């Protein structure tokens, strides 16, 4: 299958994408469905289960609580409305190109990412990089540096924008998987949709295309499983609470809120982990946490966590492997 220029991303002609193994009811549109031709509702995909009713999962000796750090890097196309803005449009009328808001994000890719990169490198913390597939073409220096530092690469859509607006979700997922595979030499196992957006079919498409875990379902402190047309898809405890977009860009809190809230979040989960494991996640974006007046708060939070016995920083893939193994052991 050869692709012409992608709508919304002109000027690029994508190379031939090798066909994947066929799956039942597979198509190149959003028609994947179950339940007699109808997609599952969120409640049908994941049944309610109180965390106190689950058997405790065992962590490796010496580990009390994994912490999952996610660094989100995105491609904002200046020819389209920005995914997020810091300045309102003049006279209330949106204008394109939106230079100030595009540049706000671009600072994160040119400067902010490298502050975060050095902060993590100096602390020997290996995070997950959630990245748009098109970042591999527009900002290859960023993705290559992350890969060489051992960071996990997680799919984050092809171009930053809602999954609902795509003409062909499966094609976007495949393009992203292929782009990250070319950098790392292996297909990513994790996925975070742009803005955590999913249609009724997204989970099925992700599972059918080989994704093993997803970060969109922010509903638990432990991994859970979603029903899909290709078997279970694991959800990892991603966050909108310890997330610089939600804290600073949306709620307009001060820069210190990430540290204050992050410490309180860690303290409670760490205490609960004495009885049953919990997972804490931290989500940061270079154009927010990578600026000079915020990076210090992130560094203080990371140092605070690292000062506690048994607190470790794990990638999403490592959390997934632990969960699958521990759950199998708990059921034995």
């Amino acid at each position: 299958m050869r692709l012409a220029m992608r709508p919304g991303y002109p000027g690029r002609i994508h190379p031939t994408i090798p066909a994947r193994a066929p799956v039942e009811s597979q198509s190149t549109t959003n028609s994947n469905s179950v339940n007699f031709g109808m997609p599952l509702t969120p409640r049908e995909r994941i049944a309610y289960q109180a965390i106190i009713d689950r058997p405790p999962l065992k962590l490796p000796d010496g580990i009390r609580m994994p912490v999952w750090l996610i660094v989100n890097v995105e491609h904002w196309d200046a020819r389209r409305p920005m995914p997020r803005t810091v300045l309102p449009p003049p006279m209330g009328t949106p204008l394109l190109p939106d230079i100030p808001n595009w540049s706000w994000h671009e600072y994160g890719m040119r400067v902010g990412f490298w502050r975060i990169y050095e902060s993590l490198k100096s602390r020997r913390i290996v995070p997950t990089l959630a990245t748009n597939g098109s970042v591999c073409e527009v900002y290859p220096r960023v993705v290559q540096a992350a890969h060489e530092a051992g960071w996990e690469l997680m799919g984050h859509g092809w171009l930053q924008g809602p999954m609902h607006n795509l003409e062909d979700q499966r094609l976007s997922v495949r393009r992203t998987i292929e782009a990250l595979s070319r950098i790392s030499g292996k297909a990513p196992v994790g996925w975070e949709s742009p803005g955590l957006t999913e249609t009724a079919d997204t989970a099925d498409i992700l599972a059918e295309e080989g994704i093993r875990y997803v970060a969109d379902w922010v509903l638990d402190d432990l991994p859970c499983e979603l029903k899909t047309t290709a078997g279970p898809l694991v959800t990892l405890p991603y966050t909108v609470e310890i997330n610089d977009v939600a804290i600073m860009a949306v709620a307009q809190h001060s820069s210190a809120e990430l540290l204050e809230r992050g410490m309180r979040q860690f303290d409670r989960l760490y205490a609960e982990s004495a009885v049953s494991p919990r997972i804490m996640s931290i989500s940061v974006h270079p154009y927010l946490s990578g600026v000079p007046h915020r990076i210090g708060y992130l560094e203080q939070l990371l140092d605070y966590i690292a000062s506690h016995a048994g607190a470790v920083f794990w990638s999403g893939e490592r959390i997934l492997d632990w969960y699958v193994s521990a759950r199998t052991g708990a059921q034995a």
Side-chain angles (χ1 to χ4, degrees):
M1 172 169 48
R2 185 169 294 277
L3 309 181
M5 288 187 294
R6 175 126 180 103
Y9 191 56
R12 294 275 184 184
I13 297 178
H14 198 268
T16 300
I17 298 178
R20 288 176 176 260
V23 295
E24 186 176 349
S25 302
Q26 178 170 312
S27 71
T28 57
T29 67
N30 293 346
S31 62
N32 297 75
S33 60
V34 291
N35 195 22
F36 301 103
M38 296 297 292
L40 293 175
T41 66
R43 176 58 67 211
E44 289 171 328
R45 286 199 186 279
I46 184 165
Y48 173 79
Q49 186 182 39
I51 196 168
I52 61 173
D53 295 335
R54 300 173 216 167
L57 300 177
K58 293 183 179 180
L59 285 161
D61 289 343
I63 294 178
R64 176 163 167 174
M65 185 176 132
V67 177
W68 184 28
L69 177 63
I70 307 97
V71 180
N72 297 267
V73 299
E74 302 158 353
H75 174 205
W76 290 15
D77 191 335
R79 296 159 293 186
R80 305 171 67 177
M82 294 296 96
R84 194 169 305 284
T85 60
V86 66
L87 292 175
M91 308 297 291
T93 303
L95 301 171
L96 292 178
D98 184 349
I99 295 301
N101 287 306
W102 178 84
S103 298
W104 174 53
H105 171 268
E106 185 73 2
Y107 177 91
M109 303 304 289
R110 297 168 68 93
V111 183
F113 172 81
W114 302 103
R115 275 200 191 98
I116 294 174
Y117 176 87
E118 290 298 331
S119 292
L120 301 185
K121 181 180 179 181
S122 66
R123 289 165 174 78
R124 299 183 179 180
I125 295 173
V126 178
T128 293
L129 183 79
T131 181
N132 296 152
S134 57
V135 169
C136 298
E137 297 181 356
V138 182
Y139 306 97
R141 180 79 173 87
V142 169
V143 186
Q144 191 64 43
H147 169 61
E148 291 175 357
W151 295 18
E152 176 194 12
L153 304 186
M154 175 169 68
H156 191 32
W158 176 254
L159 184 67
Q160 193 64 17
M163 299 292 283
H164 300 69
N165 291 350
L166 297 176
E167 294 180 5
D168 190 335
Q169 283 194 71
R170 188 182 299 280
L171 195 55
S172 176
V173 171
R174 286 186 176 182
R175 293 182 77 185
T176 302
I177 290 173
E178 185 188 55
L180 299 188
S181 299
R182 287 197 300 267
I183 298 291
S184 68
K186 70 173 204 174
V189 299
W191 182 272
E192 176 197 340
S193 298
L196 309 185
T197 56
E198 288 193 16
T199 71
D201 302 302
T202 304
D204 295 326
I205 293 170
L206 292 174
E208 289 168 1
E209 293 301 317
I211 295 297
R212 296 176 57 207
Y213 81 77
V214 66
D216 302 334
W217 299 61
V218 291
L219 43 63
D220 214 291
D221 289 330
L222 285 172
C224 302
E225 291 185 354
L226 300 176
K227 296 178 182 177
T228 80
T229 52
L233 180 65
V234 176
T235 70
L236 292 196
Y238 189 73
T239 181
V240 290
E241 294 287 348
I242 313 301
N243 185 315
D244 55 9
V245 165
I247 294 173
M248 266 79 80
V250 177
Q252 297 290 300
H253 285 292
S254 71
S255 299
E257 179 70 11
L258 179 69
L259 173 61
E260 177 67 19
R261 187 185 298 194
M263 291 171 61
R264 299 297 167 258
Q265 182 94 344
F266 174 82
D267 287 346
R268 177 52 61 101
L269 292 175
Y270 187 76
E272 293 176 355
S273 291
V275 178
S276 179
R278 297 289 187 268
I279 294 170
M280 176 177 172
S281 58
I282 304 168
S283 176
V284 297
H285 299 70
Y287 62 96
L288 290 169
S289 291
V291 301
H293 65 93
R294 291 196 183 105
I295 187 67
Y297 293 113
L298 174 61
E299 291 171 334
Q300 289 180 59
L301 177 57
L302 299 177
D303 291 341
Y304 179 78
I305 291 170
S307 70
H308 289 72
V312 294
F313 290 95
W314 277 3
S315 69
E317 184 172 11
R318 188 167 183 182
I319 294 171
L320 172 71
D321 291 343
W322 160 74
Y323 170 71
V324 171
S325 176
R327 189 167 182 269
T328 300
Q331 293 174 338

